[in-house]
Amino acid sequence: MYNFEKLDTEVVRRIECPGTERHYKVSLAKGFSSDAPNILRNSAEQKFSIMIETYLPLAEKIKKLTVYEDDVWVITFPKCGTTWTQEMVWLLNNELNFKNAKNTPLEERFPFLELTGALTLIGGDSVGDVERLSRPRHIKSHLPAMLLPDQIWQVKPRIIYVARNPKDAATSFFHHYRNIVGYEGRKEHFFDAFLTDSLIYAPFSGHVLDYWRIRDEPNVLFITYEQMKRDLGQVIVTVSSFLGKSFTDTQIDQLTQHLSIDSMRANKACNMDLLVEWARQTNYSKKRQESDGNQFKFIRNGNIGNYKDYMDDNYIQKFNEYETKLIMDSDLSFNIQ
C-alpha cells in the first residue's frame, strides 16, 4: 500500500538531529481510498509526505484505525495553533469543565495519534493510547489527508483543521526543532528545508491545500490561526456551532480568557513542561546541556508576524513567493500583516 523512499540530500542531512532522524518520502501506491472525496482523489498533483523512520511501522496501523462518528479530530501542520485549538475544543465538547481540564494533562485528554512515529526516542505506543480512549474520543494529529485512517472517509467524524501563514509557521517550527527536537544548526538551513519540502510532515503547501479542498464537507471545519488571534470569541462561537453546542456570552468570555496566551502558558495541564524537560535531557548535546540558559516555553509567543524577528529580507521574499504559489489557484488567504 505504501511506498517508502529514503531521503539523503544535503538539505535533509543538515536538519537531521536526535529527535528527527532518517527521513523518508511516503506515498500511497494506489492514492487515496475510494471513499475519499473526489476532489482529493482526482487531484493531479503528486501526493507524498515526509516522515521519519519511526513512523514507518505505524503507517499501516494508523491506516486501519477504527474511527467512530463521535470522534473529534484536531489536525494541523505542526506549530499552527494545535495546543490552543485542542484546549478550546475539549472544553466546548465537555460543557466548559475547567476543573477537569486543569487537573488532567491535555495530552491525556487529547492524545497525539502518531507521536511515537514523529519524535525519535519518545517511546510508548501513541496509536494504542488512542485506541484505548473512552468515547467520545478527542484526537490530535499532524498527518496530511493522504495518511489518515481509511475509515475517516466512511465514518465522517468531525475534523477541525487549523492553518497558519507559512512564515510564522516556519518560525515557530524552527523554535520547536531547536528546543524539542534538538536541532543546533542554522535557522537558514531549517528555512531552506521548509521551502524545499524536506521537513517532517512536508510539503506544507499540500498539507494545507488538501484540507482546504474538503472544507465544504459537512464534517470538516477549516479555520486559521490568524482568525483566532483577531477574534477568538467569534471563532469559539463558530466551533461551538460546528460541535452542536451553544453557550452564553458570559461563558464565551470566560473561555476566551482561559485561552489567552498568558493563561495557557501558566496552565500546567497545557504548557508541556515535562516534554520540554524530557527534550533537554534526551535531545540536547552535552555541550548545550551544560551551557544553554534558554527558558523556552512550549507555548512561546503566539503573535502574528513574529517571523520578522528571525528572517532577513531575502528569506521573507522567498517565503512570500512560496505563499503566492500556494494560494495561486485557490481563494485561501492567511490575511497577515
Side-chain angles (χ1 to χ4, degrees):
M1 179 180 288
Y2 288 95
N3 295 320
F4 300 121
E5 178 188 345
K6 181 74 167 64
L7 293 185
D8 187 22
T9 66
E10 181 181 359
V11 173
V12 170
R13 288 193 296 270
R14 290 190 309 199
I15 55 95
E16 285 197 330
C17 49
T20 55
E21 296 180 306
R22 297 178 292 278
H23 289 64
Y24 285 77
K25 180 181 282 189
V26 180
S27 59
L28 289 170
K30 296 183 180 180
F32 277 96
S33 160
S34 60
D35 293 308
N38 288 337
I39 197 167
L40 294 179
R41 293 193 294 111
N42 297 335
S43 177
E45 66 189 63
Q46 182 183 9
K47 297 292 184 183
F48 70 90
S49 180
I50 306 302
M51 300 299 290
I52 59 173
E53 192 170 70
T54 52
Y55 166 79
L56 307 191
L58 302 184
E60 195 68 30
K61 189 175 182 180
I62 290 174
K63 205 67 175 169
K64 295 179 178 178
L65 182 77
T66 299
V67 176
Y68 300 104
E69 189 176 4
D70 57 358
D71 286 344
V72 179
W73 293 64
V74 165
I75 304 176
T76 73
F77 191 86
K79 310 312 295 181
C80 290
T82 324
T83 303
W84 200 16
T85 308
Q86 286 176 266
E87 181 73 351
M88 172 179 63
V89 168
W90 191 92
L91 282 163
L92 290 173
N93 220 27
N94 284 274
E95 310 305 327
L96 304 187
N97 192 332
F98 293 104
K99 181 178 179 181
N100 279 5
K102 287 192 174 184
N103 290 334
T104 309
L106 183 60
E107 57 266 33
E108 294 180 19
R109 293 180 276 127
F110 218 128
F112 181 5
L113 175 64
E114 72 276 9
L115 173 61
T116 48
L119 191 58
T120 308
L121 304 176
I122 191 69
D125 176 18
S126 59
V127 179
D129 291 341
V130 168
E131 291 175 325
R132 290 184 288 271
L133 275 179
S134 299
R135 295 171 59 186
R137 304 184 305 183
H138 293 80
I139 302 168
K140 162 190 169 178
S141 180
H142 295 311
L143 289 174
M146 61 166 282
L147 298 183
L148 291 176
D150 283 341
Q151 287 191 13
I152 283 272
W153 313 115
Q154 303 163 2
V155 178
K156 301 183 183 299
R158 288 184 175 90
I159 296 172
I160 299 168
Y161 185 82
V162 190
R164 189 180 190 182
N165 77 83
K167 293 190 285 290
D168 281 332
T171 300
S172 187
F173 206 12
F174 163 70
H175 287 285
H176 180 89
Y177 251 63
R178 173 167 169 76
N179 294 287
I180 300 297
V181 182
Y183 177 66
E184 297 185 13
R186 296 171 54 191
K187 64 179 184 291
E188 291 82 7
H189 290 170
F190 180 86
F191 293 149
D192 289 340
F194 188 103
L195 291 165
T196 58
D197 301 332
S198 301
L199 291 170
I200 186 171
Y201 294 111
F204 175 88
S205 57
H207 201 291
V208 174
L209 286 175
D210 268 354
Y211 287 102
W212 177 251
R213 290 183 179 110
I214 61 172
R215 69 193 182 280
D216 292 328
E217 294 288 317
N219 65 308
V220 176
L221 178 65
F222 187 107
I223 59 177
T224 70
Y225 186 93
E226 289 74 22
Q227 288 173 330
M228 293 175 69
K229 283 294 294 183
R230 292 202 167 99
D231 194 344
L232 181 57
Q234 182 55 54
V235 173
I236 289 172
V237 171
T238 299
V239 175
S240 299
S241 177
F242 178 71
L243 294 172
K245 304 289 183 177
S246 180
F247 297 94
T248 66
D249 290 345
T250 299
Q251 289 173 314
I252 291 170
D253 289 344
Q254 185 181 17
L255 180 55
T256 300
Q257 177 57 41
H258 176 84
L259 294 172
S260 70
I261 292 296
D262 288 343
S263 178
M264 289 286 288
R265 193 179 289 123
N267 186 345
K268 293 187 180 298
C270 295
N271 61 20
M272 307 291 185
D273 281 351
L274 291 178
L275 175 64
V276 174
E277 184 56 34
W278 171 86
R280 288 191 179 115
Q281 298 299 322
T282 307
N283 290 334
Y284 289 22
S285 67
K286 184 176 180 180
K287 180 179 179 180
R288 186 175 174 196
Q289 287 178 2
E290 293 173 348
S291 64
D292 193 278
N294 181 25
Q295 297 300 311
F296 173 78
K297 295 292 184 183
F298 191 86
I299 300 171
R300 189 182 60 87
N301 179 283
N303 292 327
I304 299 173
N306 187 239
Y307 69 88
K308 296 172 186 176
D309 294 332
Y310 296 93
M311 291 183 189
D312 62 22
D313 290 343
N314 178 47
Y315 274 93
I316 291 175
Q317 178 61 29
K318 288 180 179 181
F319 272 89
N320 285 340
E321 292 170 359
Y322 181 92
E323 183 175 336
T324 298
K325 185 177 179 180
L326 189 165
I327 65 176
M328 185 179 299
D329 296 322
S330 76
D331 54 353
L332 171 63
S333 172
F334 298 103
N335 190 27
I336 64 170
Q337 296 174 338

